Amino acid sequence: MVTIKDVAKHAGVALSTASYALSGSDKVSPKTRELVLQAAKELNYQKNGFAMDLKRKSTKTILLILSDLSGPYYSELIRGTQEVTLSNGFDLIACSSVGGADSTAYKFLQERRVDGAIVLDPNISEHLLRESAREGCPIVVMDRYVEGDFIMNVAADNVQGGYEATRYLMEKGHRDIAWIGGPSNSLGSQHRKEGYLKALQEEGIVNTKWMLVGNFTEEGGYHSTKVLLMQEEHPTAIFYGNDEMAIGGYKALREFGLSVPEDVSIVGFDDIQVAEYLSPPLTTVRQPKYEMGTMAAHLVFQAMGGEYVNKSYKLKIELIERLSCQPPRLAPNRGKGMET
Amino acid sequence: MVTIKDVAKHAGVALSTASYALSGSDKVSPKTRELVLQAAKELNYQKNGFAMDLKRKSTKTILLILSDLSGPYYSELIRGTQEVTLSNGFDLIACSSVGGADSTAYKFLQERRVDGAIVLDPNISEHLLRESAREGCPIVVMDRYVEGDFIMNVAADNVQGGYEATRYLMEKGHRDIAWIGGPSNSLGSQHRKEGYLKALQEEGIVNTKWMLVGNFTEEGGYHSTKVLLMQEEHPTAIFYGNDEMAIGGYKALREFGLSVPEDVSIVGFDDIQVAEYLSPPLTTVRQPKYEMGTMAAHLVFQAMGGEYVNKSYKLKIELIERLSCQPPRLAPNRGKGMET
DNA sequence: GAAATTTATCGAAACGTTTCGATTTGTTTT
DNA sequence: AAAACAAATCGAAACGTTTCGATAAATTTC
């Protein structure tokens, strides 16, 4: 392997001079710079990034940890973080926590290989986060809440989202609204449910029969919906903890000969790409993913500058109205949002 | 920052002993190991990965370069590479070429920060690839063809895909089949078109009016379809270079009051997630993405072992039949696949 | 044209690890 | 109890850079 030493020798200068020349310092005269560059080219010299980082004590890269590196959910978010990172002259690399303690995420976090991290991954333990966050490596955690030095939090206002979606259904006249949530370890899902319950409570509605959990997958939504429909009484609307589950719901409903929105209204959560192409297009709650991404990245850089303005941020959420909801057909007497 | 030196001092042993203890070597006695581990914990010691890599002269990570880190296209492919990488005890990180020569991709490739790379990104120059590939860092390039030492290629058999899709339409009785391709720098698109032309030629069909280019986006498909429909004669079927463009096509057709598949049949390419949820569900050509991912990763490891069995691999492709095609309504006399 | 100043180059230390060979300690053999 | 051996620990070199302080060369000043 050709090193800077070889380049220096080949160019007939000292190692240190070669280093200066290669890094474009103006301490070196134009003609020696040329000489060195030429030598480097001839030998096909490629610098060793580690050695550099080791000496410089900073890596200029920030790490994005995702739960599986492949979900459709992340697109916009990644785009956001990437833009900010790049414009700060830093690099962004992504990895996943697949593999548990042997995962790339663990290694990079524990081995001080990055100058900051953005974590969107429920699998990374709080312990690891607290252990890894430090001066020189701030961490922003998304969609969950973890407290600690050099740790900040960014999340969508899931409570608000859950509340508004439910409210929206109620204003269309629904009172029998089912909830099919995500896995219980998802803080986001919990909060959405919280908003849902709050809306219900305001109207004095008590729902005990129609609260199920899926696991945020299409499969899960499908099955949960099926058990829901096998009960004797049906709700007139279903609120799903995310869009994937709503897709599963569509399928289950179709199998039961029920149509959306005539027989049951549906609202999802997330606004993934598919949502608008479903038939009927899915009314859902959009998370400001791009904004969350940029926000997270900005926070990292702010923290690097020593500013820890605030530890926790909540971003507003937006209801996207499409065609999967309408007033319930069997309760015309309940009016259209007049009961408030 | 606490280093192994501090740990050694705190534990009252030599630096080298501390190193042995921390890396679990059996050269060290159980009780000193305990001692060192204890000291490390007390000081919250975290090893510096770079220093290690520098000494070890290998990084045990492989890099996945994508054009934007966020396309829905990649999901399965990433999953494939990830599984193989992980089971080889290596790490996988992903990055994009956004930012050109300042991009993370360039930096990591040029600075010998990884032991291998998988590139699915038309923006990375062949020059850079050839320069970066070397003993100790093989590179697998996907969906394009680049020749060079330590470089291998993996692609779907796009010619076959284009051929089969067209053949399928012809067997339904179509003869007037339009092609809306991707950007001209996409080798995949070129190959698909090649297959398309070959199928046409076999039947002695010459199509000159209905060949357009989009840019692989929904927007592009929409516009190309519109200009296609503004001509006086319409084709009875359209074959799109990818699914995104087909989605744009659906929209344009709807605007022209034409319905799929009654008025015009459509087939796409890729089988992205949305495809099956469109109405009507899109008939398309599925690329074996997961297999491509695993294949690429396997090749990297094989190459690390010094085996360069073969430089180029083509994977078979599969037609996914859904509901966007039917025989053309205005040419019942042309039969149903009888003309072969 | 010698002294003072600037500019260009050099040597060496440092970054935090791993690992080789040497030394010390402890255990077994005679 | 000394000799022979194994086990545990240590010191130092090495990995490939960057960068500080020192030296040498070139330029300016008087």
Side-chain angles (χ1 to χ4, degrees), chain B residues 219-239:
Chain B
E219 197 69 6
Y222 172 77
H223 287 117
S224 300
T225 307
K226 261 177 120 166
V227 334
L228 184 70
L229 295 177
M230 289 192 292
Q231 301 180 11
E232 17 188 309
E233 286 183 283
H234 291 181
T236 60
I238 309 178
F239 177 21

